Amino acid sequence: MDTLSSKNDIYVSKVTRDMEVDKLRSRIQVLQEDITSEFRSQLSTILEQHLAGLEQVSAPRENGDVKGNKRSKGKQFVARESLLTELFEISHIRTIYHIFLAMLALMFLHSILYDLAELDSTSQVRWRLVALHFGQVVGCVVYTAFLLERLVLPPFQRYGLGRMTWRHLVVHVFGSVMPGMLCYLCAFFALLHAWMNAFAEMTRFADRMFYQDWWNVTNYASFYRTWNIVVHDWLYEYIYTDVARLRGKFLATLSVFVVSSIVHEYTLMLVFNFCFPVLFIQFGVFGVLLHFFNVRSAGGNVLLWMTLSLGIGIDLAFYAAEWYARQNCPSIYENVYADFFSSRALSCWSGNGVADTVVRASA
């Protein structure tokens, strides 16, 4: 009897399990059908809307701009959403997007938790020191603005409104060297010292070696390694080592300079809203050449400061000239992108012989 009872129990449990599997399979099938029908419905709605928009665009106008079977060459604008915006209205696709955002947030959270768990940290936050560093940042910004407004920008405010000669350009470049170097030192102190130390103190990050004594180096190879430790370590770990392993050290060095040049010039493009690749040429051409000019004597330190100061003066003079040329000179291209990548300063220079006045510094 016990054997028969155990067999009956096994049979009942098997039947129950089969019934549960059938119910689960039927639920999955119903869910699949619901998802498919919803996706098809939403997709068909989206396609119908876009077809209606295309028909509205391709329809001839009533004012006679389209003759016969010829289409109007002008673009027709229709109020409509982008395709991904409408696809995200589907709940299941929106869920996939939410999963992607969750995974991205977890990646950043993992990095933060790793830093908190593995890296050295200070015992407490010294808020007075944080306030001091932020005050130093504000002071550097104010002093830099004063230098630019009073010493650097005035000679270029009338650029394009009168004659500019090579003599005036050379004078203005060398006149920008001293205030430019002061701006450079202020930017170094504000960003690499005060700003980074303030956030390191707030996050209790103990390693404050953001730069080394770059002012004592005798060649540019050492300058690049000590000027900004954070950026140097990132470029070395994520670009230089991989490229050096695959293509050698020379191409790895060139890759680092190309990436750094593009990032610096792209930043200036966003700030000024035009492309004038002076800094890109300095980094990508002269920066590479100076990297292999290895000097280890005291004269190398003098040469580094001279070339660095002159390069900063050239940057300030050329970008100031381009900035005011875009305010004072007419555009030579109607296309927005052509005007963005062209130089108004050079076009004004080539046509500045019409006026006889000399560009002078504003009072």
Side-chain angles (χ1 to χ4, degrees):
M1 292 293 293
D2 293 339
T3 304
L4 181 61
S5 177
S6 62
K7 289 183 179 180
N8 289 334
D9 292 340
I10 293 173
Y11 177 76
V12 171
S13 62
K14 182 179 180 181
V15 171
T16 304
R17 187 170 61 252
D18 293 340
M19 292 176 63
E20 291 177 353
V21 170
D22 292 338
K23 289 181 180 179
L24 182 61
R25 185 182 293 110
S26 62
R27 289 179 181 177
I28 293 174
Q29 186 175 1
V30 171
L31 180 61
Q32 183 180 3
E33 292 176 355
D34 292 340
I35 293 173
T36 305
S37 61
E38 181 182 359
F39 182 79
R40 288 178 178 175
S41 176
Q42 294 284 348
L43 187 60
S44 61
T45 302
I46 293 171
L47 292 176
E48 289 176 359
Q49 292 176 355
H50 279 274
L51 287 175
L54 291 175
E55 291 175 356
Q56 185 176 355
V57 170
S58 60
R61 301 180 188 176
E62 296 180 357
N63 56 6
D65 290 342
V66 180
K67 297 180 180 180
N69 295 327
K70 294 182 179 180
R71 286 186 174 184
S72 174
K73 295 182 179 180
K75 179 177 176 58
Q76 303 296 313
F77 294 96
V78 179
R80 52 190 171 182
E81 296 290 345
S82 61
L83 185 60
L84 285 179
T85 301
E86 294 178 342
L87 285 176
F88 283 142
E89 295 297 327
I90 303 175
S91 60
H92 300 288
I93 295 180
R94 191 167 58 249
T95 301
I96 297 174
Y97 174 68
H98 292 164
I99 294 174
F100 170 77
L101 293 179
M103 294 297 104
L104 187 63
L106 288 175
M107 288 176 60
F108 282 100
L109 183 62
H110 171 265
S111 300
I112 295 173
L113 294 177
Y114 176 81
D115 291 341
L116 294 176
E118 298 294 331
L119 300 180
D120 296 332
S121 60
T122 56
S123 58
Q124 61 182 359
V125 178
R126 295 168 291 181
W127 291 107
R128 289 186 179 180
L129 184 60
V130 173
L132 174 63
H133 286 315
F134 280 127
Q136 291 171 344
V137 172
V138 174
C140 289
V141 171
V142 172
Y143 185 56
T144 301
F146 171 80
L147 291 172
L148 293 175
E149 289 290 338
R150 301 295 295 179
L151 301 176
V152 178
L153 299 180
F156 300 96
Q157 290 177 351
R158 290 183 53 82
Y159 187 96
L161 301 179
R163 179 186 295 274
M164 171 69 80
T165 64
W166 285 106
R167 182 175 64 86
H168 294 98
L169 181 62
V170 172
V171 169
H172 293 327
V173 167
F174 279 91
S176 302
V177 166
M178 184 56 67
M181 177 52 65
L182 293 176
C183 293
Y184 180 81
L185 294 177
C186 285
F188 157 74
F189 185 82
L191 179 61
L192 297 181
H193 177 76
W195 185 267
M196 288 192 174
N197 273 283
F199 278 91
E201 184 66 31
M202 287 189 295
T203 57
R204 299 194 301 166
F205 186 71
D207 189 356
R208 310 291 171 86
M209 185 60 70
F210 303 121
Y211 56 89
Q212 294 180 353
D213 57 336
W214 56 269
W215 48 85
N216 292 328
V217 300
T218 59
N219 53 72
Y220 274 90
S222 300
F223 171 78
Y224 296 141
R225 290 192 292 267
T226 56
W227 152 254
N228 190 339
I229 300 296
V230 178
V231 174
H232 170 268
D233 290 347
W234 190 92
L235 292 172
Y236 181 82
E237 291 293 335
Y238 293 99
I239 296 179
Y240 181 86
T241 54
D242 292 337
V243 179
R245 185 176 63 253
L246 298 174
R247 298 296 180 180
K249 294 183 178 180
F250 180 75
L251 286 179
T253 302
L254 292 181
S255 301
V256 169
F257 275 99
V258 169
V259 172
S260 181
S261 303
I262 293 174
V263 171
H264 281 81
E265 191 60 43
Y266 183 73
T267 303
L268 293 183
M269 288 168 56
L270 294 179
V271 172
F272 294 129
N273 198 26
F274 60 77
C275 179
F276 193 52
V278 177
L279 193 62
F280 179 83
I281 295 174
Q282 284 186 343
F283 267 91
V285 179
F286 297 103
V288 176
L289 296 177
L290 291 172
H291 177 269
F292 297 104
F293 190 68
N294 194 2
V295 180
R296 299 186 180 276
S297 61
N301 185 256
V302 176
L303 180 63
L304 184 141
W305 277 99
M306 288 178 59
T307 54
L308 185 63
S309 302
L310 182 60
I312 295 171
I314 292 174
D315 287 338
L316 289 179
F318 278 54
Y319 280 105
E322 180 65 25
W323 173 266
Y324 285 107
R326 288 183 173 266
Q327 298 181 21
N328 300 329
C329 301
S331 174
I332 59 176
Y333 296 103
E334 295 182 358
N335 185 274
V336 176
Y337 298 103
D339 181 65
F340 182 85
F341 288 99
S342 62
S343 173
R344 298 267 190 98
L346 294 179
S347 63
C348 284
W349 183 280
S350 62
N352 65 5
V354 178
D356 293 327
T357 57
V358 178
V359 177
R360 296 182 176 90
S362 299

